[in-house]
Amino acid sequence: MNLFIMEKISQYRQVQELGFIQSEDEVLFTQSLGLYYSKTPDIGFSEVPFTGEMREVDYHKHLLKYPAPYKESGEGLIRGDLGGEMRFEDRDYAEIIVMVDMDRKGFYGAYQIIEKLGYLSHPNITFCKMVAYDAKSLTKAFNGRSLIDENLNRWVDEQRLKRTFEYWWRANSHLVFGEALKWADIKPDGAISKYQVYTLCLFRDVKTLSQDKLLKMLEKPKVLKKYTGSKASAGSSSSYYSIVEGLMTVGLISCENGVCRLSEKGSLFIGMLHPRTYDAELPFRIEKWLSAADLDESRGKMKRYINQFFGRQLRYQRKVKKDA
């Protein structure tokens, strides 16, 4: 019996049709999210800039607190019942096969589950290099799978660091940009993300942008000379539109007939942003930090960035408000 770890049920269907999954095999899905998520810490303005330790203690709802394996049955794919707790001790898997997207997020989600189940020391954990989901690519990936190595474990460290930066950003953004949004008469809908701020600032020098061009600017940010060769993007293929949609939902921008523009309230909000809050280098900075040989040094650089960015922004917006 083997255990397959995948991201989505739709991917499972394709693999199952190729005959790689046997009737006794079991499947766990990460849903591209992994096992845990972290709540925004409950802090006050006296703690801004905040760069405390991230706590990942809450289970994603899609896992119903405890992941249970799925199996194929005569009625289709069904979820197993482990009685509430993950009792995998009696499951003697011959191989744990990881079939997720080839990126930090995909592998980290699988790693979290393997770790939680106590299988990190399993001698036969293999990884399929998934580049596409057509039959030919899936067959090549499955037949060419190899044991987990140091390069894949490095993805885990990189993704943890990336999540730490996002945790710090969300904690500070919730308060700092939340205050600025209220002053612009906008009700905050959670913390404004780093790439939502980045997107808003693209409107500083133009009145309108076509929605297609705006999405393309997130996918392929203008590469500064010192980052030549970097393939960084402001988000991912699954998040570009949601970044724009989130700005529309809270009323910072409007998009009609394929043309996007700042709203009146969006202009008020932009007016409270420090000139250096628009960081055209941010996607490239993050990729450089994550690709560095010394991730501890990168963590220090991220912490300094958060301290400077939000400390400066908070002082600036309160001065703008006072002088208004």
Side-chain angles (χ1 to χ4, degrees), residues 88-261:
F88 278 68
E89 296 88 344
D90 298 330
R91 284 169 160 73
D92 186 19
Y93 295 120
E95 183 179 356
I96 299 174
I97 303 170
V98 179
M99 299 188 78
V100 296
D101 290 347
M102 281 189 62
D103 54 31
R104 301 178 185 110
K105 183 178 180 181
F107 184 70
Y108 183 59
Y111 179 93
Q112 284 183 315
I113 290 177
I114 294 170
E115 181 181 44
K116 180 64 178 177
L117 299 181
Y119 286 141
L120 285 181
S121 60
H122 192 288
N124 199 18
I125 304 175
T126 57
F127 181 74
C128 301
K129 295 182 179 179
M130 312 284 283
V131 296
Y133 285 89
D134 58 276
K136 183 178 179 180
S137 298
L138 284 171
T139 300
K140 182 178 180 180
F142 183 77
N143 292 336
R145 65 191 185 278
S146 58
L147 292 173
I148 299 297
D149 58 21
E150 291 182 1
N151 292 329
L152 290 171
N153 287 328
R154 160 77 189 207
W155 273 355
V156 172
D157 295 333
E158 291 175 7
Q159 184 65 10
R160 280 177 176 156
L161 184 58
K162 183 174 183 286
R163 287 168 63 87
T164 296
F165 182 82
E166 292 169 347
Y167 178 75
W168 289 341
W169 179 284
R170 190 168 69 249
N172 291 283
S173 172
H174 181 71
L175 285 176
V176 177
F177 289 130
E179 179 180 82
L181 286 168
K182 289 177 183 177
W183 288 343
D185 196 26
I186 292 176
K187 184 178 180 180
D189 183 23
I192 188 168
S193 75
K194 59 186 183 296
Y195 289 138
Q196 285 180 324
V197 174
Y198 178 92
T199 302
L200 278 176
C201 290
L202 295 175
F203 288 93
R204 271 189 155 159
D205 300 320
V206 296
K207 290 185 177 180
T208 63
L209 284 169
S210 73
Q211 187 166 326
D212 287 343
K213 182 176 182 179
L214 183 57
L215 293 173
K216 186 63 68 176
M217 292 171 77
L218 296 180
E219 180 184 2
K220 296 182 178 180
K222 184 177 179 181
V223 181
L224 303 180
K225 189 174 182 179
K226 64 181 177 179
Y227 295 110
T228 300
S230 174
K231 296 182 179 179
S233 64
S236 65
S237 58
S238 62
S239 69
Y240 301 136
Y241 182 75
S242 63
I243 291 170
V244 175
E245 185 179 41
L247 295 174
M248 293 168 56
T249 299
V250 297
L252 286 165
I253 67 172
S254 63
C255 295
E256 297 180 4
N257 300 320
V259 178
C260 301
R261 55 174 51 83

